Amino acid sequence: MNLLHTIYEPNGAGPHPTILTLHGRGANALDLLGLAPYLCNGKFLMICPEGPLETPIGPGAMGYAWYPMSMGGPPDIDAILSSREKVRDFLDTCLRRYPIDPKKLALLGFSQGGVMSSGLALSNPERFAALAVLSSWLPKELVPELSIKEAVQALPALVQHGSQDPLIEVQRARESVEQLRALRVPLTYREYDMGHEITPRSLTDLSAWLKDTLKIK
């Protein structure tokens, strides 16, 4: 497989409802795996690939990213699209290898992983049953490059963001929500009194939304 990854597999032979989960900048394939037992009581198969780019996160420490930081400038759209293709190829392999229910396949991304998730879902909406974007945004420069299909109008989406987020200001999330609504994506937006993080409350809301959207028993 083209990306190192971790998985959480629920009991039973499957096929299982599945979440493809993309981490934020500086994290790794283990970062979001711990969410799995708390989402619908661990009923999801969770697949967590690792970003292809090494990125320093402190003295002698390395994490991983999906595309380079722009340092205040416009995002590197070519790098985002290149990583999107890697994730798309990775997903194709996962569908052959793991007991995934393709009709209950969700895409979840945190921070930089949310940018990736939005780009992948908006350009391939027919492949996903739900999209969850946490503490992230949708760069306006990316939208024209996605060849967005009309099927996005049938893709349920959840956006969660912290009003105190110091890394991605909440206004960027609000503007992204307006972009998604302009595309007629059926969207639920939840704002929390939190920073750049996932809290017990936001996790509970995420689990309930996934349960309702994918009709998990």
Side-chain angles (χ1 to χ4, degrees):
M1 302 184 79
N2 65 330
L3 294 174
L4 180 69
H5 62 288
T6 58
I7 69 165
Y8 172 93
E9 189 167 354
N11 294 327
H16 302 292
T18 299
I19 307 175
L20 177 64
T21 309
L22 306 183
H23 65 74
R25 178 186 174 274
N28 57 40
L30 291 168
D31 184 57
L32 297 173
L33 188 67
L35 300 180
Y38 302 99
L39 295 174
C40 300
N41 297 315
K43 292 183 179 179
F44 281 99
L45 170 66
M46 183 175 281
I47 305 173
C48 305
E50 192 164 86
L53 304 178
E54 285 192 344
T55 185
I57 56 175
M62 299 294 292
Y64 296 87
W66 300 101
Y67 54 90
M69 284 189 69
S70 59
M71 306 303 291
D76 188 334
I77 299 301
D78 288 341
I80 294 173
L81 296 177
S82 176
S83 279
R84 183 191 64 174
E85 294 309 304
K86 289 183 174 67
V87 176
R88 183 184 288 161
D89 291 345
F90 171 78
L91 177 58
D92 288 341
T93 303
C94 287
L95 286 164
R96 294 191 296 268
R97 180 171 179 176
Y98 297 121
I100 295 169
D101 182 347
K103 294 182 179 179
K104 293 186 177 182
L105 173 61
L107 184 57
L108 182 152
F110 179 83
S111 193
Q112 195 182 82
V115 175
M116 295 298 305
S117 295
S118 295
L120 182 58
L122 293 176
S123 56
N124 300 268
E126 70 284 348
R127 302 192 69 172
F128 302 101
L131 166 67
V133 179
L134 315 182
S135 298
S136 191
W137 83 108
L138 177 61
K140 63 181 184 299
E141 299 90 349
L142 179 61
V143 174
E145 305 298 326
L146 294 178
S147 301
I148 295 172
K149 302 174 183 177
E150 190 173 337
V152 298
Q153 297 175 21
L155 175 66
L158 172 69
V159 175
Q160 295 182 332
H161 210 90
S163 59
Q164 310 302 317
D165 193 328
L167 298 182
I168 301 173
E169 293 181 358
V170 68
Q171 185 57 34
R172 296 169 74 182
R174 294 169 182 167
E175 292 169 357
S176 299
V177 165
E178 292 309 310
Q179 287 191 82
L180 291 168
R181 286 177 173 158
L183 295 169
R184 300 180 66 185
V185 175
L187 184 137
T188 300
Y189 179 54
R190 294 286 181 266
E191 203 168 289
Y192 302 87
D193 183 17
M194 66 180 189
H196 195 69
E197 59 187 320
I198 298 170
T199 64
R201 181 183 170 193
S202 67
L203 183 60
T204 297
D205 289 350
L206 171 62
S207 179
W209 182 82
L210 287 168
K211 181 179 180 180
D212 291 344
T213 301
L214 299 183
K215 298 178 174 58
I216 305 299
K217 297 181 180 179

